[in-house]
Amino acid sequence: MNKDIAIKVCAGTGGVASGGEEVLSAFRNSISSAGLEATIYEKCSAHRVGCRGFCAKDVLVDVIINGEKTTYKHIKPDMVARIFDEHIMKGNPVTEWIVGEAYFNFHNKQTKVVLSHCGEIDPEDINAYIAVGGYKAAKKAFASMSPEEIVDVVKSSNLRGRGGAGFPTGIKWELGLRIESDIKYVICNGDEGDPGAFMDRSVMEGDPHAVIEGMIICAKATGSHHGYIYVRAEYPLAVKRLQMAIDQCKQSGFLGNNIFGTDFGFDLKIFQGAGAFVCGEATALMRSIEGKRGMPTPKLWRSAEKGLWDKPTVLNNVETFANIPRIIMNGANWYRNLGTDRSGGTKVFSLSGKVKNTGLIEVPLGVTLRDIIFDIGGGIEGEKSFKALQTGGPSGGCIPAEFLDTEVDYESLAQVGSIMGSGGMVVLDETSCMVNTAKFFLEFTQAESCGKCTPCRIGTKRMLEILERITSGNGKEGDIELLEELGHHIRATSLCGLGMTAPNPVLSTLRYFRNEYESHIRDKKCPAAVCKDLITYSVLEEICNGCGACKRACPADAVRGKRKSPHRIDPEICIKCGTCFDACKFKAIIKI
Amino acid sequence: MTNSIPEIENHDVIFVIGSNTTETHPIIGLRMKKAVKRGADLIVADPRRIDLVRSSSLWLQQTPGTDVALLNSIMHVIVKEDFIDKKFIEERTEGFESFKDSLDEFTPEAGERITGVPKEKIVKAAFLYGDAVRPGIYYTMGITQHTHGTENVYAIANLALMTGNLGRESTGVNPLRGQNNVQGATDMGCIPDFYPGYQRVDVPGIKQKFEKAWGVKLSDKPGLKAPEMIRAAIEGKLRALYIMGENPILSDPDVRHTINALKNLDFLVVQDIFLTETAELADVILPSACYAEKNGTFTNTSRTVQRIRKAVEPPGDAKADSYSISELGKRFGYEMNYNLMEDIFQEAKKLWPALVGVTYKRISKAGLQWPCPTLDHPGTPYLFKGGFPRGRATFTSVRYRASEELPDNDYPFLLSTGRQLFQYHTGSMTRRVDAINMVSPGAYIEIHPDDADKLNVRDGDIVKVTSRRGSLDIEVMVSERPLKGLVFIPFHYREAAANLLTNTALDPVAKIPELKVCAVKIEQSNK
Amino acid sequence: MVTLKIDGKKVTVRKLSTVLDAARKLDIPIPTLCHHPELSPFGGCRLCLIEIKGYPKPVASCTTFAKEGMEIITASPSLEKLRRTTLELILSDHPKDCMVCERAGDCKLQELAYFYGIRENRFEGERRIYTKKDNNPFVAREMEKCILCGQCVRICDEIQGVGAIDFAYRGLKTKICPPFEKDLDCEFCGQCVSVCPTGALTGKMWAHKGRQNFKEVETVCPYCGCGCNLTLHVWRNEVIRVSSKEDTINEGWLCAKGRFGYGFIHSPDRLAKPLIRTAPKEGVDLNKPQNSSRFTIHDSQFKEVSWDEALDYIAVKLKETKEKYGSDAVGGLSSARCTNEENYLFQKFIRAVIGTNNVDHCARY
């Protein structure tokens, strides 16, 4: 009996963090210790694959026997033996560990373009990429397309910058092509810095060759011979795999001099950033490569005219480049038709927060927010109700339930006060305080401000101070107006995108959840019972049976009461840590 | 300078040879860096890794004293690669053919052998300079303070002439004057063979002009140059010396020799603002006013005549130098009375037409560059626009000649002396500024790390440095700056006066001493 | 050349001029704190915002090229409000010690606060506090007063080519410091001091020497041959500070010696009386400190005399030498430290009075 067996273990950063490497070696050990019976298995391989998106269920393992795939979730090394014995040896899958309906729902509503190879092929092997059609697009571009033709295809695909601003990629390339210069650069912006965002990382880890192929095509289209991939040093796996990919490309003649046998040369290097959020801003990123402090510089020139070292530079995001090979191969129409009138294709989002299914998703532009949250995301966790969707990371805003039918696109999200951004999506439910949420994001942007311009450096700090005042119960009448004034001021006067968008979380929550701010200020209450200084814990005497769990758990000795009779919390001593709330099995403790 | 300072930023190639510009002429150094920023290529030829090397596209680290060989081999390549400006050579120069032949032996290989500069770099320098549109050459005492300093300067002139790189904006040859008014002192005739305005004392007609103007008979015998005066004092031929604002004991080579000379004088007057080392040997000391205490003009290195103005009163009875000179004149029965400082300037102008257009009023805000022959002349930012004053410029073939005193077994190191950023000249002024002394407290000798290893000395150690003329104890600064085998001592510090060691050998023409090359040995100090 | 309209007035400027350049050409004041004409555009202070017809929001005039046909408004109620708020923000992170600040009266921030009449501040909050690292003898750094205009960083990098300081940290904690926050250790040209718009960087040697009523005297530096123009600040017969103006041949730039090396003028070592030797000449002991001469040699070997006595004596001795050994036994050495006029007189004296051409100066060293 000949069986064709493949075992794929998720080895993206999420998978590795959950023990992917150990799971992989457990499989390998099992296979080799079963070596005696190797004659039975003509072909049995176990290899690592890149992130497959559904990180909440890591470690994910595919066991494919004669083409029939079974996916397991939450696999630990000690579970490998059983899968090996029962499934691989005897052919009986371990049903209780197999992923459920949620997993399929999660995948079925998506359209994978950029992520199509992630989790499917070995990212460390160029041949795996070539086997699924990799570098065909680049070869095509070099063999049969002029730079103008490439630019035309990209232009008519309606691909727009996936870094968040949505500048039409084709037009950017056209500018880069038209400018004459002895030296031009292509830069891939892999400095993904939004908290909770890992779209680009997953692509770099799971399909590094697609990014490189996109850059090679861009080099050809714009006549550039030098390229950089700017990756933050906090992405060691991405750096490692990109470097492997670059080395393999050089060996294969896809990078270096005379690529694809032509007289065209393209030299690609990785530049590791030191993890400043602001270095995701194009001008700051280029200063960083130049060896200067990563600070945005005024845009007297477009980067396409004077960018890196004052030379024409085309800078695109990871996801943008990863789309390029598919567009070249499948044509502009195919890509354009995937999306809306104004923007073609798909977009990757990292879905997180209070939804059932969290992880990386890829959807065609034009899908509604409702589809994303309730179909792909599987709805809100627990029996809570949806409150808002935060999109676009710290530069974005909060979208309330009334706009759930908004179609995802650059313009429509801007219209409701948020942004597409690089693709973060955080679902908030009724237990989320909107003032606190705004404060969280502002804390981040304030700390990450490069300090160059006044409104961003001092203005965001002052806004943060006002929010801190409000959430600690010291808010004053007029604070809301001051926040609004400062927010609009910072938006209008800041030097770069970081500053201009920093007030967005505050301004959008003020727009849709102003009442929450008012409760904090006027009633000194946090409606979602999140802001510590504004809540009190108390015991519902009619429910409390005096079990004493809360008393034992309290670190501050604030709970009083005799055994078997209702307890009481001394508000003077209570430090509002919430330990008693979690300890009570009878829901006798409330916070208001 | 044949060009003006603002023109520096428009050079496309700057060739700096024997000038540590950013330390000795910091603000000119800034202009060079600006030019580099604007795309100019900077070639630095210096045995030390001076600060400018950081901004350079090419650094030629020649052995001190081999500049002629370096320049000649660069010119050899320029001829070979046909970078020469035939039209310029034909119309404005003479003697090119025989000069050209003199370059034959200076192949890049020969250049490398003598100078230690790899031949590829010599070729690259030739291509950079030869191909330039607006190149400028800059040099200071790294070129001149040699027994063959004159030849060095001729070699530079040859380079500029053969490529036609003279007489245009941002194109020329620019010796940088080291001190604030060296240019002016020379212009005004404080040189033994020229009256004011470079008019020779021994040319008939000129003397008569000055005799008429000054109302006395004058000598037509060129006088002694400063180093010759010191020698003449030793020999007893010079008996009295009047020194106004100079400190030769620290600045001239071989301190002991200078002290002996000055002590040997019958009479020494020193006029200064401080009791300098030289003043210690004076018979009479006259207290002077410093720059902030007097009116007049200074002429900077780019021939710009600028006003200086009295800001404060001099201390005590100190008086401006003009007072003592006029008063002495009076005591000799020769009246030198002027109502205003400008009257003196007016008198000088009458004798030197190049200054006629300069008046105090015209330079009240910004200076004027001579030649400025008429009152409506805008001054001359760069020289030789229409041609050379003497007609055709002559090529002078120069042969390489080794320096007088080279390292040997007894004195194995080559010593160069020079300046440092914070201190100035003999330190009489800067060493009296506390803040400057804090950052630049004392003398040091720069030694290459390999040499330091060999000598078994470390940073901060005190070593004894000895030459055939004297010795001193000095702190070691281990540094990658000097070439291996080369050591460097700044001459500002009296307690370790570099000139105790230096050689009094002179250039036969310019009589400039060979302060850039002498042989020393270095030992552990007993101190 | 491009022509544009600013506040209704037409102006023509060279291509690649900024809107700010164009406005300055028309003498229209636009407030700025971070702009310097010789340094690269920065766009940090955000005070120079202007409105351009057809643009969705205000832009910084210092970082916007003037374009043909632009119509610009430099002052409107909404612009003034933006500027005022920005100023309030800057002042909310700035000490209010103008009373004792070295730069009071000469501070751009103070001046703007005055024009905008900012007394109360709606944004009082956390301020930056620094531990002083201040052992260098030239530059006093009160970094609480720093408004992060970046001019010091740019001048140090772009003009001086040194790069001794840069921005560090992020957010409100952003500060300008040498690497690893060490004390300043650089060329001490003081260019940073010359461009600082506030009291953050000042010269230590001019602290508490006077902020007003000093006289400014334009003159030329006594050190190297560059001939940099100096402005001496004089108060009660004392040079209390040296600066240089932008429209000079040195463009206002100076080095450490030019800017900070003026202390010798008022040195106690200065010679104040003519001296005549009273004891035989000894050698010169170079191992004694520089200022020892005034206190030891001065008193033990010389006596103070009147000018007449000194000059008479010199005249007698020179005449004697001339008569006995001839004119050529006398020589004169002049100096670059002396003016053209003095040098002219000196050679005239040696040539016309003594009768020899033995006159030279220090050009060889």
Side-chain angles (χ1 to χ4, degrees), chain B residues 33 280 331 347 360 421, chain C residues 160 257 277 312 341 344:
Chain B
K33 289 183 190 170
E280 286 184 37
R331 280 162 175 79
E347 183 179 309
Y360 276 23
L421 175 66
Chain C
Q160 204 65 23
K257 293 193 290 284
R277 177 168 290 282
D312 289 346
E341 292 75 4
Y344 174 83

Side-chain angles (χ1 to χ4, degrees), chain A residues 158 258 307 427 528:
Chain A
N158 260 0
N258 308 103
V427 177

Side-chain angles (χ1 to χ4, degrees), chain B residues 462-464 473-474 523-527:
Chain B
I462 306 291
V463 289
K464 183 176 180 184
D473 291 293
I474 192 165
E523 303 154 294
Q524 305 272 0
S525 167
N526 309 326
K527 284 193 182 168

Side-chain angles (χ1 to χ4, degrees), chain B residues 119-155:
Chain B
K119 59 176 189 287
E120 299 77 26
K121 290 192 171 188
I122 292 174
V123 172
K124 190 177 172 197
F127 272 74
L128 278 175
Y129 184 83
D131 208 21
V133 181
R134 296 177 310 279
I137 305 176
Y138 291 81
Y139 67 89
T140 57
M141 290 172 170
I143 281 296
T144 55
Q145 284 178 341
H146 292 280
T147 47
H148 46 264
T150 307
E151 280 116 304
N152 286 347
V153 173
Y154 279 144

Side-chain angles (χ1 to χ4, degrees), chain B residues 1 5 24-26 28 176-183 299-304 306 424, chain C residues 220-228 249:
Chain B
M1 284 170 78
I5 295 172
T24 59
H25 296 82
I28 286 177
L176 303 176
R177 312 302 307 246
Q179 303 173 50
N180 60 335
N181 199 32
V182 167
Q183 185 67 49
T299 305
N300 79 349
T301 182
S302 66
R303 300 168 278 106
T304 313
Q306 306 191 94
Y424 181 70
Chain C
V220 175
C221 180
Y223 290 114
C224 80
C226 292
C228 298
I249 57 163

Side-chain angles (χ1 to χ4, degrees), chain B residues 58 145 175 231 243 246 259 261 264 271 283 310 334 344 352 373 438 445 515:
Chain B
L58 180 64
Q145 284 178 341
R231 266 184 205 172
I243 300 181
E246 262 296 88
I259 291 177
N264 204 33
Q271 187 164 317
D283 294 282
K310 180 171 175 173
Y334 187 80
I344 305 175
W352 185 26
M438 267 178 76
I445 180 166
L515 296 176

